[in-house]
Amino acid sequence: MFLRLRSSIVNQMNYLTKVNAVSHNEKHYLTTPIFYVNAGPHIGHLYSAVLADCLCRYKRLRGFKSKFSTGTDEHGLKIQQAAADAGKDPLVFCTEVSESFKDLFKTFNISYTDYVRTTEERHLRAVSHFWKILFDKGFIYKGSYEGWYSIPDESFLTESQITSSHDKNGNPIKVSLESGHQVEWMKEENYMFRLSEFRISLIHWLQEHPRVIQPERFHHIVLRWLEEDLPDLSVSRQRSRLNWGIEVPGDPEQTIYVWLDALINYLTVAGYPEEHADWSGVTYHVVGKDILKFHAIYWPAFLIASGLPLPQAIYVHSHWTANGLKMSKSLGNVVNPHEKSQRFTVDGLRYFLLRQGVPDTDCDYYDDKIVKLLNSELADSLGGLLKPLHRLEAINQCVRLTNGFVQRHAPWKLNRNDEHDLRCVFGILLQPVIPVLADRLLDRLSVESSERTWDDLAFLRKYKGGYCPFEGRALGPDTGVLFCRLDRLEAMKTSMKKII
C-alpha cells in the first residue's frame, strides 16, 4: 500500500508542482477558481479546493511562504436571474450561497489565507482600476457587436463554436459545442477588448513555456485553439439587460463583463492596485477544464495588455461523473460532499479525491469504490501502522506495505527505532492529503509540531548510521483506531437504490 500511496501522492505533487522543473521561490501564490453562486457547492467544487489545499500544504511543508485564495463569483446574468427566481435581493442571495461555500471549506479543512467575494469594495476598486488601464492603453474600445450568445455561459460564440440541435419539443436550435447550452442571436452596442492583437504573443508564451499549462494535453488544446483567429472579445453588457455587476467607469449604461470582473479577483487578493508586486509574479492557478479558455487565453491576454506578469502555471483538472453519468440536478445524482463526509469522514473523502482523481481525464464516483479504497488503504494498511506489533510482525508488515522498497533496503535489519522513524515519515508525507489523520498518527508517535516539516524527512536514519531523534521516546496517548472499516454492503445497496 505504501508504494501505491507514495506513488499517488508523488504523482499528484509532480502534476501540481513539477518540483524538478521549477526553481525554488520563497513565495508561492496559489488560487482556486472563484465559484459561481448561482447554486450551492458540489463535489466538483470540493475537488478543486482539495487539490489546491494539498499543494498549498505541501509548499508550506517545504518552507514556502504561501498565499492561498478562494472565494465566490457573484455578478452576472445567471445570478441576477437566480436571485429573481428565489424572490431575493441579489446581494442577500449571493451572501447565502457564498456562506455555504465557506462552510464546505471549513468542514474539509481547506487552509486558504484569503476568501474573496466579487461584491466586495476592494474588488470593485481593483476592477475599475484595471479597466481604466486597459482603456487608457487603447485595448478597450466601444463598438457594435452581434453574434451567437449563450446566456448560461455568458459569452458570445463564433460559428465554429456552435452546432445545430433540437429542443425538448423537437424545434431546431443552435447550441454551444463546448457546453451544450442553447445560444441565441444577439446584437448590441458594448465595449470590446482587442483580443485579436494578442494571438501571436500567447502562442510565443506557450511555446517558450511548455509546462505552463499542465497536464500536457491541455497545453496542446490551447495551442490548437490559437491556430484559429481570435476575434475581439465583448467585455461589457448593456445595463438595461444586466444591472447586477460593476458599472463601466465613465459609462453608467454599461456593465463590465462577468468574466473580466471575475478573473481580476486574483489581483484583488494580491493587493492590486496598491501593493501586488510581491505576489502577482508567483501565481499558480488550479482550474477545471471547463474554464480553461478563460484562464489560458483571456486572462493572459488581459495581463499582457496591462503590463503585469503572467501566471507561473495553470493546473487543469477534469470532472467527476457519478456511476458513469454526468452529474445533474435533473438526474438527481449530484454528489453532496457534506452528506458523504458524514459516512466516509472528511479525511476519507479528501483521500479518495486525491488518490483516485486523474487530472487529464474524467473520473467516476460511486460509493462502493470509495469504501474499497478506504478500507484497503486507510483502515487496513495505514491503520496497521499503529497496531502494537511484534518486531518480526512489523517486518512482515513493512514487506507487505512497501514491496520493492523492502527488497532494496532489507527491512529484516531494522530495529524498533527504524520502524518508528519510518512511520513518522509516513505521517509527515500525508499531512497535505489527510491533515487530521496525519496529525493523529504523528501525535501517537510523539512527533512534536516543530518536527513535521519537509526538512524532518529522512528514511531509516538509525539504519544509515545517523542520529534518530525518536530513539527511546515514549509513544503518545492511544487515540484508538486510526480509521474504522466501512460497511461495503451498505454502500452497494445505496448505489443500487440510486440506479433503480
Side-chain angles (χ1 to χ4, degrees), residues 236-370:
S236 75
R237 301 290 182 263
Q238 291 182 358
R239 204 157 184 82
S240 59
R241 184 164 63 87
L242 173 60
N243 56 49
W244 182 241
I246 299 175
E247 184 180 293
V248 168
D251 191 340
E253 296 183 356
Q254 296 279 325
T255 301
I256 294 176
Y257 172 52
V258 64
W259 266 107
L260 174 56
D261 165 2
L263 288 164
I264 295 169
N265 90 88
Y266 305 129
L267 294 177
T268 301
V269 172
Y272 186 86
E274 291 85 7
E275 299 176 1
H276 59 91
D278 286 350
W279 295 104
S280 60
V282 291
T283 307
Y284 299 77
H285 300 303
V286 173
V287 302
K289 67 178 183 180
D290 56 318
I291 53 176
L292 175 59
K293 181 173 293 182
F294 298 98
H295 285 82
I297 292 182
Y298 299 168
W299 181 228
F302 293 154
L303 290 173
I304 294 171
S306 65
L308 293 174
L310 293 174
Q312 292 293 307
I314 301 171
Y315 307 125
V316 189
H317 66 77
S318 296
H319 296 160
W320 283 88
T321 57
N323 292 297
L325 299 174
K326 183 178 180 180
M327 294 186 196
S328 71
K329 289 183 179 179
S330 60
L331 291 176
N333 66 344
V334 176
V335 177
N336 184 315
H338 282 296
E339 177 188 312
K340 297 303 179 183
S341 70
Q342 295 299 310
R343 181 165 178 219
F344 303 128
T345 76
V346 165
D347 271 7
L349 194 53
R350 281 180 63 112
Y351 184 85
F352 172 77
L353 292 174
L354 291 168
R355 180 72 171 85
Q356 291 292 302
V358 182
D360 59 0
T361 188
D362 289 349
C363 302
D364 196 37
Y365 176 99
Y366 52 93
D367 285 351
D368 187 46
K369 183 179 186 179
I370 188 170

Side-chain angles (χ1 to χ4, degrees), residues 389-410:
L389 302 174
H390 184 272
R391 178 180 175 186
L392 292 171
E393 292 172 333
I395 293 171
N396 291 330
Q397 178 81 335
C398 286
V399 171
R400 187 173 74 82
L401 295 181
T402 60
N403 300 326
F405 174 84
V406 168
Q407 297 176 18
R408 290 194 299 273
H409 293 282

Side-chain angles (χ1 to χ4, degrees), residues 178-231:
E178 187 170 348
S179 68
H181 294 140
Q182 184 174 349
V183 299
E184 58 185 70
W185 189 261
M186 190 174 293
K187 181 178 181 178
E188 64 181 28
E189 185 179 63
N190 50 35
Y191 288 91
M192 308 293 294
F193 173 71
R194 299 185 190 276
L195 183 63
S196 56
E197 295 188 14
F198 295 92
R199 176 173 165 268
I200 301 302
S201 296
L202 292 172
I203 291 174
H204 287 165
W205 172 56
L206 294 175
Q207 289 176 338
E208 292 171 4
H209 301 85
R211 304 174 83 98
V212 73
I213 299 176
Q214 301 170 31
E216 186 179 1
R217 84 176 190 90
F218 293 113
H219 189 94
H220 294 310
I221 287 173
V222 177
L223 281 172
R224 285 200 299 272
W225 286 340
L226 292 171
E227 289 175 359
E228 300 182 9
D229 290 338
L230 283 180

Side-chain angles (χ1 to χ4, degrees), residues 27-94:
K27 292 186 176 180
H28 183 269
Y29 174 28
L30 180 68
T31 78
T32 71
I34 51 172
F35 302 104
Y36 211 40
V37 295
N38 60 319
H42 53 67
I43 201 162
H45 300 124
L46 178 62
Y47 185 47
S48 293
V50 168
L51 276 173
D53 183 63
C54 182
L55 173 56
C56 182
R57 289 174 181 272
Y58 168 73
K59 285 294 186 179
R60 291 170 185 159
L61 195 65
R62 299 202 62 180
F64 283 72
K65 182 180 181 182
S66 184
K67 183 184 287 287
F68 173 20
S69 75
T70 189
T72 44
D73 178 5
E74 304 182 14
H75 290 140
L77 192 56
K78 282 189 290 187
I79 306 299
Q80 181 175 297
Q81 292 175 337
D85 292 342
K88 296 180 179 179
D89 173 81
L91 184 58
V92 172
F93 176 85
C94 290

